[in-house]
Amino acid sequence: MFKTLSQLGDFVNPATIITGAVLYGIGALLLVLILLIVFRKKVLVPRRYTALRILAYSYFVLLPLLAGFFGMKWGFFNGLRKDIKAHTTVYIEHIPSSIDAKTSAAVSGFLRDNKADLSTLTTDQLIDAVAEVIYTQYDSLLAHQQTLQQGSNVILPWLVKLTKGKGMAQFAKHTIHKLLKEKLGLDEDVSKELMASRIDEVIRMGLFAKIAMIQIDHFLKGIQKGILITLCLLMAIPLIEIIIAHYLLKKKKTTPQPQPAMSQV
């Protein structure tokens, strides 16, 4: 989080994101605390052992703090996503414009060198083939820009990390395919030459930057989902303990108590 904030300082004032994170953290803390107070009789059901009784009281401290911590993390990444969407043009300015030109050249070369094979493909299949070329170029150009260590490209090292892994690679290819479809359509009557011209036009209109912004948003959304899943799993531990405590208490009440032996006269 601190590393991300230091990079964000080159674009916007991180105070807005930090404020949102703090508010979400306080909100989550208060929500869990109120729920604990409302259900305190259920939480503080009698336990057999002293350690379990201490644990029951500690829930009133640990659970709100835990919820506040994860709420703050979720709020931080939520604010980050909103900021990126609101200042997309600012972030895009830090992506070299030469990247789109190089990507366009790679696609043009691919279409020219494979003209005979591509003539037999449908428009949808052609878009699939082009999307694969664009992704390969996208990945290699990111890695090359990372080695340059240019101060103006502070967002690129982050993008390089996001392209690694089969899941993210598949998502990037799907994103490229979707963007091309939206811009080009699937008109089978259009000649392959005209389609190639349209593809080149779409690439030069900043396709690379759009892919990067969508990929970052998807990545941050995944982090938020992971935070919620982790919080739910951690919250399940005390919930299970409380359920077991209720079960043992109920079992104790339903178990007949041994009667004291009658004294003989």
Side-chain angles (χ1 to χ4, degrees):
M1 289 173 66
F2 287 110
K3 185 177 180 180
T4 303
L5 283 173
S6 64
Q7 291 183 338
L8 285 175
D10 295 328
F11 302 98
V12 294
N13 183 5
T16 55
I17 298 174
I18 295 175
T19 301
V22 171
L23 291 177
Y24 272 101
I26 293 174
L29 185 150
L30 292 177
L31 177 62
V32 173
L33 185 60
I34 291 171
L35 288 174
L36 285 172
I37 293 173
V38 172
F39 296 105
R40 62 187 180 281
K41 291 184 179 179
K42 297 290 185 181
V43 176
L44 298 177
V45 63
R47 267 80 166 175
R48 183 176 179 181
Y49 300 103
T50 303
L52 293 179
R53 288 197 293 271
I54 295 173
L55 181 63
Y57 281 100
S58 68
Y59 289 157
F60 282 84
V61 177
L62 295 177
L63 293 185
L65 291 178
L66 190 66
F69 172 71
F70 281 97
M72 184 184 68
K73 288 188 69 175
W74 191 92
F76 172 82
F77 290 108
N78 185 63
L80 185 55
R81 285 180 61 208
K82 287 183 177 180
D83 179 77
I84 289 175
K85 289 179 180 179
H87 302 91
T88 299
T89 54
V90 179
Y91 287 94
I92 288 177
E93 288 175 359
H94 286 72
I95 297 177
S97 58
S98 59
I99 289 181
D100 283 324
K102 291 179 180 178
T103 304
S104 176
V107 173
S108 297
F110 170 77
L111 294 175
R112 183 180 60 254
D113 297 339
N114 299 275
K115 188 174 182 180
D117 296 332
L118 296 176
S119 62
T120 61
L121 301 180
T122 65
T123 303
D124 192 51
Q125 290 172 333
L126 177 62
I127 290 176
D128 272 334
V130 171
E132 186 72 33
V133 175
I134 292 175
Y135 172 75
T136 302
Q137 187 71 9
Y138 171 79
D139 189 45
S140 62
L141 284 173
L142 277 178
H144 177 65
Q145 289 292 328
Q146 168 74 349
T147 60
L148 296 180
Q149 297 294 328
Q150 295 178 1
S152 60
N153 296 336
V154 292
I155 199 170
L156 290 176
W158 198 13
L159 289 174
V160 172
K161 294 178 182 179
L162 300 190
T163 59
K164 304 306 177 185
K166 292 183 179 179
M168 291 304 296
Q170 191 61 37
F171 174 76
K173 292 176 185 177
H174 174 75
T175 300
I176 296 168
H177 185 94
K178 184 179 179 181
L179 287 172
L180 289 174
K181 272 188 176 181
E182 289 176 355
K183 298 293 183 181
L184 303 174
L186 292 176
D187 190 356
E188 296 296 339
D189 296 331
V190 176
S191 65
K192 293 295 185 292
E193 289 76 13
L194 181 56
M195 183 61 68
S197 176
R198 287 183 179 178
I199 291 172
D200 184 68
E201 183 181 351
V202 170
I203 293 172
R204 291 183 179 277
M205 288 173 62
L207 179 66
F208 185 98
K210 291 177 182 177
I211 297 167
M213 293 299 104
I214 292 174
Q215 197 171 6
I216 289 173
D217 184 70
H218 177 76
F219 176 74
L220 294 177
K221 190 184 294 184
I223 292 179
Q224 285 183 276
K225 189 181 296 183
I227 291 171
L228 288 178
I229 293 173
T230 304
L231 178 61
C232 290
L233 290 175
L234 291 174
M235 289 294 188
I237 297 174
L239 180 61
I240 293 172
E241 194 277 332
I242 292 169
I243 292 173
I244 293 174
H246 274 272
Y247 171 77
L248 294 177
L249 181 65
K250 184 178 180 181
K251 184 178 180 181
K252 180 180 179 181
K253 289 181 178 178
T254 56
T255 303
Q257 299 295 323
Q259 297 294 329
M262 298 290 293
S263 60
Q264 295 182 356
V265 179

